[in-house]
Amino acid sequence: MTTFYGEHSKVWVSVDCIIFGFDEGKLRILIGKRQMDPGRGEWSLYGGFVRSDESLDDAANRVLYDLTGLRNLYMRQVGAFGSVDRDPGERVISIAYYALINVNDYEDRLRKEHGVEWVNIDDIPQLYSDHNEMVRKALKLMRQKIKSEPIGFRLLPSLFTLTQLQRLYEAIHGEELDKRNFRKRIKEMDFIEKTELIDKKGSKRGASLYRFNKRIYNEDPNFKL
Amino acid sequence: MTTFYGEHSKVWVSVDCIIFGFDEGKLRILIGKRQMDPGRGEWSLYGGFVRSDESLDDAANRVLYDLTGLRNLYMRQVGAFGSVDRDPGERVISIAYYALINVNDYEDRLRKEHGVEWVNIDDIPQLYSDHNEMVRKALKLMRQKIKSEPIGFRLLPSLFTLTQLQRLYEAIHGEELDKRNFRKRIKEMDFIEKTELIDKKGSKRGASLYRFNKRIYNEDPNFKL
DNA sequence: TCAAAAGTGTTAGATTTACACCCATGA
DNA sequence: TCATGGGTGTAAATCTAACACTTTTGA
């Protein structure tokens, strides 16, 4: 094996995941108490080291699968974090990723096995190392992204009511929306399809269930919320 | 030295810089022919390895200073690039940064010493490894950023005419703007100050020179272009 | 019968876009 | 004197934001 860059030093590279979920009207992320040194016992994002035979995206997908048992999650890179002393043990740079999951798809057994919890984004405690900074940036990027792409559906069941959808957007942006204006905009988006099904859980009267039609969206991707 | 993560493999980490400049009405970046193996002779971004005693941002600033002799450049991280085979020699992950410079501040002697050239963003050749992808993402991020923050002034001399400013925005977004609407919006931004000075180079009649007043901007940062 | 969520249109105000002519000057 | 870029205002169209009542039904 030829060594081109021998004179330079190598470092460890990890990925850390900000996993967003929407439950009980709140946007939440998964965090757990760190089970290894250094920093044992501190609240932390879930992460792992990048292996020599996998890309950064592969590493993030592996870590996400390991924690949630889910594949093909919507996932985007947040950025690289590389202060010299960010890890108290060694020089480690970390690439943060955020992912969106529908909380119903996540088996609670698996969640408990890994000792992670859903925490409201307004109540995030102090986290290990620079993880709070990662969360802030992930939230900022996700909020921005959701304005121009219909990624919110990744946080909902495949069938959802318009009130659920509105509550999701309110939770993400942290402000209330006008019901009539919201529904007016939804009606303009043909890829948000009304089904014949009625949800009876959320109200006595019942609310129509909608679904996101990816095919129609791809044909005419005009999204604005 | 305690080794917490010994069982995992380390990798090389580099930074690569997309340096934007505005000259002769075009948005350009600095690229050069690679002077080392692997990839010797291919067009490439300018970069360097991250040292063990510096953060990623420090490394990017060092690389930028080495190339341009300029400090305190506006600079933002583009992201981490980490395909397994992205570097033909070894496993190297790279963190891309973009920076904005005023081309007049860059000594041509230094530019030639490093063998780099200003290339119109519409005429970028095929670049080494994944550098084209880095450029695309940098451009996307910069275009987005400039809509909400007055970073464009970093690409202009400290005194500029409104026509220069308009041409800059046209070059960045790749579309012509209406002169009257453009100037109407500028007038609303108190931090773009008209000076008493007149530029006689750009026209016979002469055009007023303006400057960006950072203090006023910080007091009332309302920017929208 | 009443509490609770679903569903539905209109209007005023703000923002955005389109558009054309006169001015000052150096060559 | 004329070619060149500098400088200026208005009106139509579009988009955004504010706002209140009726319906259905399970408890």
Side-chain angles (χ1 to χ4, degrees), chain B residues 15-212:
Chain B
V15 297
D16 285 302
C17 297
I18 297 96
I19 302 170
F20 290 107
F22 178 63
D23 199 22
E24 293 176 11
K26 304 282 185 191
L27 185 64
R28 299 167 195 274
I29 64 169
L30 277 178
I31 57 175
K33 295 276 179 73
R34 206 169 141 91
Q35 293 171 17
M36 68 189 294
D37 281 315
R40 189 183 297 271
E42 292 180 48
W43 285 102
S44 165
L45 294 171
Y46 196 78
F49 284 92
V50 176
R51 296 179 182 159
S52 59
D53 62 346
E54 66 185 1
S55 68
L56 299 173
D57 286 7
D58 289 345
N61 275 312
R62 172 175 56 76
V63 166
L64 287 169
Y65 177 72
D66 174 48
L67 179 64
T68 67
L70 302 171
R71 292 197 196 276
N72 300 122
L73 294 175
Y74 180 87
M75 176 192 93
R76 286 292 179 274
Q77 192 188 107
V78 173
F81 293 75
S83 299
V84 174
D85 297 322
R86 57 175 296 284
D87 188 289
E90 301 281 349
R91 178 81 200 263
V92 180
I93 76 159
S94 186
I95 319 299
Y97 281 80
Y98 73 83
L100 307 180
I101 79 176
N102 167 15
V103 295
N104 302 321
D105 291 345
Y106 188 19
E107 281 185 52
D108 219 50
R109 181 187 57 75
L110 253 180
R111 184 185 65 72
K112 284 179 178 147
E113 267 176 36
H114 284 96
V116 292
E117 294 178 27
W118 286 112
V119 177
N120 182 336
I121 49 156
D122 296 324
D123 305 323
I124 310 282
Q126 197 187 334
L127 303 177
Y128 174 72
S129 183
D130 50 8
H131 288 192
N132 289 91
E133 200 188 329
M134 291 177 177
V135 172
R136 268 195 302 279
K137 191 167 175 194
L139 195 50
K140 188 174 168 183
L141 289 176
M142 192 270 277
R143 281 178 171 150
Q144 191 164 297
K145 185 64 110 180
I146 207 171
K147 287 179 185 165
S148 63
E149 284 180 45
I151 62 174
F153 305 103
R154 299 296 201 125
L155 292 163
L156 292 174
S158 56
L159 292 170
F160 50 86
T161 67
L162 293 187
T163 299
Q164 278 179 286
L165 187 62
Q166 183 177 343
R167 296 284 172 270
L168 171 65
Y169 276 84
E170 289 173 339
I172 290 172
H173 291 118
E175 59 184 24
E176 299 201 346
L177 299 172
D178 179 276
K179 181 163 65 162
R180 279 181 286 189
N181 292 337
F182 183 82
R183 285 166 183 242
K184 207 185 308 170
R185 289 212 290 282
I186 297 295
K187 274 219 192 80
E188 286 162 6
M189 293 185 244
D190 295 336
F191 53 82
I192 302 178
E193 285 186 318
K194 188 174 186 167
T195 68
E196 300 300 306
L197 304 166
I198 304 289
D199 171 82
K200 299 291 286 183
K201 269 170 277 168
S203 68
K204 294 163 183 171
R205 176 174 170 180
S208 287
L209 286 162
Y210 288 72
R211 74 158 72 91
F212 172 65

Side-chain angles (χ1 to χ4, degrees), chain A residues 1-2 5 11 77 80 90 144, chain B residues 2 11 77 80 87 90 144:
Chain A
M1 175 168 154
T2 321
Y5 311 125
V11 300
Q77 192 188 106
E90 303 280 350
Q144 192 163 298
Chain B
T2 321
V11 300
Q77 192 188 107
D87 188 289
E90 301 281 349
Q144 191 164 297

